[in-house]
Amino acid sequence: MYSIGLDIGTTSVCGILLNAETGEMIKSYTRPNDTFIQTENEWERIQESSRLIEILKSIADDLLAEGLPVVSIGLTGQMHGLVYLNAEGKPVSVLATWQDDRGNLPYKDGKTYVDVMREVTGYPVATGYGSVTYYYDMVNGRVPEDAVTFCTIMDLAAITLAGKTKPIMHPSDAASFGLFDLKNNCFDKEAIEKLGLDYDMFPEVCSGYTLVGDYNGIPVGVALGDNQASFLGSVADTENTVLVNVGTSSQISCLTHSVPDTDEIDCRPLLDGSYIIAGSALCGGRAYAILERCLRQ
């Protein structure tokens, strides 16, 4: 049996064809994510959502062209970022990535949008989180008129491949949006409505790993957050291993079976009632880029 894994990253889009029985990687593709859009707003970090899906689909088709009996397609990608969808499940906006800084803009009484959200809800949200992007857009009249929901870019990829119209989010992605109740596995309706946001805009959250649909008869799984996917793909002994990952961002992660009572470190859903405790820095890829430029000079 063979499986395909697809990843929409911040700087590249990747895919692998894997022997699901032996773990052998048969084929891999990495293509640059060249979809960043330059704007007059220094705080804005956006990418072309439709173009990202095109790149991902082309990789999936190239891997399927190998002619092997693929039995599943899994997805992951950059968490936190938001893209708006219409009733047909088509993107009606760009992707506001996790690097977007609109949440740190001044809002009122000397406070930023993030400050106000934290004060009103008690949730430790940060700029780049989907709920923060949505809050800023609602306040400033930037939500597209035909938008009925939103999701991450890999959730959009999943429903596009599966021919569905309504996104389904795994808790690992949903929690990355903020305003998510970890213990009850749902977006916090009370907190959302305190901010004057439309709870019905928030996507459906599944209770565990599930199938979204199929692509050319091949089951497509719900997308996982990239931190969680890297943990599952890299760690053999999940109970006794700490994972250090350095990409565009960087994280140090370990598994837990309970939600810690602290805001000092992120707690993120994994699978079947387990969680990842993750410490994240935003300078992983930047550190690599500085080193690369230094060596070239």
Side-chain angles (χ1 to χ4, degrees), residues 225-255:
D226 54 1
N227 182 205
Q228 290 87 338
S230 71
F231 188 84
L232 292 171
S234 304
V235 172
D237 180 1
T238 58
E239 297 288 341
N240 299 291
T241 306
V242 172
L243 174 67
V244 176
N245 177 59
V246 182
T248 305
S249 176
S250 55
Q251 305 91 23
I252 180 167
S253 310
C254 64
L255 182 138

Side-chain angles (χ1 to χ4, degrees), residues 113-134:
Y113 290 86
V114 164
D115 292 336
V116 172
M117 291 182 71
R118 289 178 174 177
E119 186 176 277
V120 171
T121 68
Y123 280 90
V125 296
T127 189
Y129 285 19
S131 63
V132 176
T133 300
Y134 177 41

Side-chain angles (χ1 to χ4, degrees), residues 106-265:
Y107 181 24
K108 58 184 178 182
D109 301 327
K111 299 173 183 175
T112 67
Y113 290 86
V114 164
D115 292 336
V116 172
M117 291 182 71
R118 289 178 174 177
E119 186 176 277
V120 171
T121 68
Y123 280 90
V125 296
T127 189
Y129 285 19
S131 63
V132 176
T133 300
Y134 177 41
Y135 182 56
Y136 175 90
D137 289 348
M138 277 287 290
V139 170
N140 293 280
R142 291 169 55 104
V143 178
E145 290 185 5
D146 49 351
V148 299
T149 189
F150 47 72
C151 62
T152 67
I153 189 64
M154 53 275 201
D155 295 317
L156 172 59
I159 64 170
T160 300
L161 290 175
K164 303 296 184 180
T165 60
K166 187 178 179 182
I168 303 173
M169 291 189 80
H170 187 266
S172 61
D173 271 341
S176 78
F177 270 14
L179 307 184
F180 187 80
D181 184 340
L182 284 173
K183 294 180 179 178
N184 292 304
N185 197 54
C186 63
F187 287 108
D188 189 327
K189 184 176 182 181
E190 182 179 354
I192 288 167
E193 292 181 345
K194 278 183 179 179
L195 292 166
L197 300 176
D198 183 357
Y199 176 76
D200 292 334
M201 282 283 287
F202 284 74
E204 176 187 349
V205 180
C206 59
S207 58
Y209 194 78
T210 188
L211 296 179
V212 177
D214 65 85
Y215 181 58
N216 295 332
I218 302 168
V220 177
V222 65
L224 294 178
D226 54 1
N227 182 205
Q228 290 87 338
S230 71
F231 188 84
L232 292 171
S234 304
V235 172
D237 180 1
T238 58
E239 297 288 341
N240 299 291
T241 306
V242 172
L243 174 67
V244 176
N245 177 59
V246 182
T248 305
S249 176
S250 55
Q251 305 91 23
I252 180 167
S253 310
C254 64
L255 182 138
T256 181
H257 294 285
S258 60
V259 179
D261 186 21
T262 178
D263 293 334
E264 296 291 322
I265 196 166

